[in-house]
Amino acid sequence: MSMEMKLMMMRLSLRLAGVVPKCCILCGLCLCLLPEWLRRIDKKEAASKVLFRDLTTTQKKSAHALTFEDDRQYMPGLFTKRTRRGNGAEKEVKVQPYPDPENTSKTTWMTETSLKQTSLNPSKKWLECGEGHLGKIYLEILGCDGLPNLDAGSIGDKSDPFVAIVFEDTLVRTDVIYDTLSPRWMPWSQRAFCFNIQHPTSILLLGVFDYDGPPYTDHDAVGRFVINYQNLVRDTVYVLR
């Protein structure tokens, strides 16, 4: 897989429940399986169900199938306007995948500086995944910079990145951000995940992909890396770059 990605930024914290056993069978999925998993998910052959949970409350929300159907409604058309001249000197870009439902008037168009600053705000919705009881890993995907352009010469002139994460028996992904090499995932988008830990030696596998919409289902790999959470200190928030 390509390693051309220069920078990826995320926020990560670990919370453990009680005493974690020192010995356990390693549980992790090879990242080379991710493209095939994504193809199966896109065809609804393995559309695992996960639950939304707002961590500011304990209320469970409706189940959400891990498919790309929701993203396609935000796919820009060939002549969609993506930038405009703002009131100031800096141009504004259209916020993806959609504006903040609670403040659409101020989050439909934003400057790139404001977009980067807003992406650092706490996430508003979380996906809770896995069945473990040893503790929790909280992961937020904030953005990427310097991605290679895998869509040159095609309809839409830049990559359409999303991040897929494998942890133990769970595969999740962020929303797709279209036509950009420096995506930023907003606090109201699908970018925050709470993983329940089942095995103390499991690892987080992350991959960045270029989304290829219908009729294509073989999403192009952009970059990948692994996080061993045993190197993290509990109840500590890390911003990784």
Side-chain angles (χ1 to χ4, degrees):
M1 289 187 181
S2 171
M3 294 298 295
E4 297 296 328
M5 178 177 54
K6 296 180 181 177
L7 175 66
M8 181 175 179
M9 184 165 56
M10 70 190 76
R11 195 156 46 212
L12 182 68
S13 66
L14 170 67
R15 298 179 189 175
L16 299 179
V19 178
V20 179
K22 294 183 179 180
C23 297
C24 188
I25 298 175
L26 177 64
C27 179
L29 294 177
C30 179
L31 193 61
C32 66
L33 296 178
L34 267 173
E36 176 60 27
W37 276 45
L38 293 169
R39 281 194 293 270
R40 292 173 62 194
I41 285 172
D42 211 27
K43 296 176 181 177
K44 298 183 181 180
E45 292 176 9
S48 304
K49 299 277 186 176
V50 289
L51 294 175
F52 274 116
R53 189 179 74 164
D54 185 342
L55 294 185
T56 59
T57 69
T58 57
Q59 180 182 5
K60 295 277 188 177
K61 297 186 179 180
S62 59
H64 175 78
L66 189 62
T67 69
F68 288 93
E69 288 186 353
D70 292 342
D71 298 82
R72 288 168 190 158
Q73 65 179 311
Y74 303 114
M75 184 184 296
L78 184 60
F79 301 105
T80 299
K81 185 177 181 180
R82 298 181 180 86
T83 62
R84 72 176 188 182
R85 181 61 58 184
N87 296 328
E90 191 174 359
K91 70 178 181 180
E92 295 180 335
V93 296
K94 195 165 187 178
V95 175
Q96 293 193 59
Y98 47 83
D100 184 355
E102 299 176 358
N103 191 10
T104 56
S105 60
K106 293 184 179 180
T107 58
T108 299
W109 295 90
M110 300 174 69
T111 65
E112 292 186 359
T113 300
S114 180
L115 201 68
K116 291 179 180 180
Q117 292 174 345
T118 302
S119 70
L120 299 177
N121 292 341
S123 297
K124 293 187 175 183
K125 66 180 183 181
W126 293 75
L127 278 172
E128 185 177 14
C129 335
E131 302 296 333
H133 302 286
L134 295 182
K136 297 178 183 293
I137 298 175
Y138 297 91
L139 175 65
E140 300 169 277
I141 305 299
L142 305 179
C144 300
D145 286 310
L147 298 181
N149 187 5
L150 302 183
D151 282 350
S154 61
I155 297 177
D157 55 357
K158 293 181 180 178
S159 296
D160 307 315
F162 68 94
V163 178
I165 305 109
V166 170
F167 182 72
E168 297 183 340
D169 60 349
T170 303
L171 169 65
V172 294
R173 65 167 184 84
T174 66
D175 287 318
V176 179
I177 308 297
Y178 292 95
D179 295 325
T180 179
L181 304 182
S182 297
R184 289 295 183 274
W185 283 272
M186 295 292 98
W188 52 86
S189 67
Q190 183 172 301
R191 71 168 194 178
F193 310 95
C194 173
F195 297 97
N196 293 302
I197 303 170
Q198 187 172 7
H199 301 286
T201 55
S202 298
I203 55 178
L204 277 165
L205 300 155
L206 297 93
V208 181
F209 293 85
D210 172 35
Y211 172 73
D212 291 325
Y216 308 105
T217 56
D218 189 5
H219 312 295
D220 300 317
V222 177
R224 63 180 181 180
F225 58 96
V226 175
I227 297 175
N228 185 347
Y229 78 84
Q230 296 180 76
N231 297 325
L232 306 178
V233 178
R234 63 186 298 176
D235 299 323
T236 303
V237 177
Y238 299 84
V239 177
L240 306 179
R241 298 174 182 267

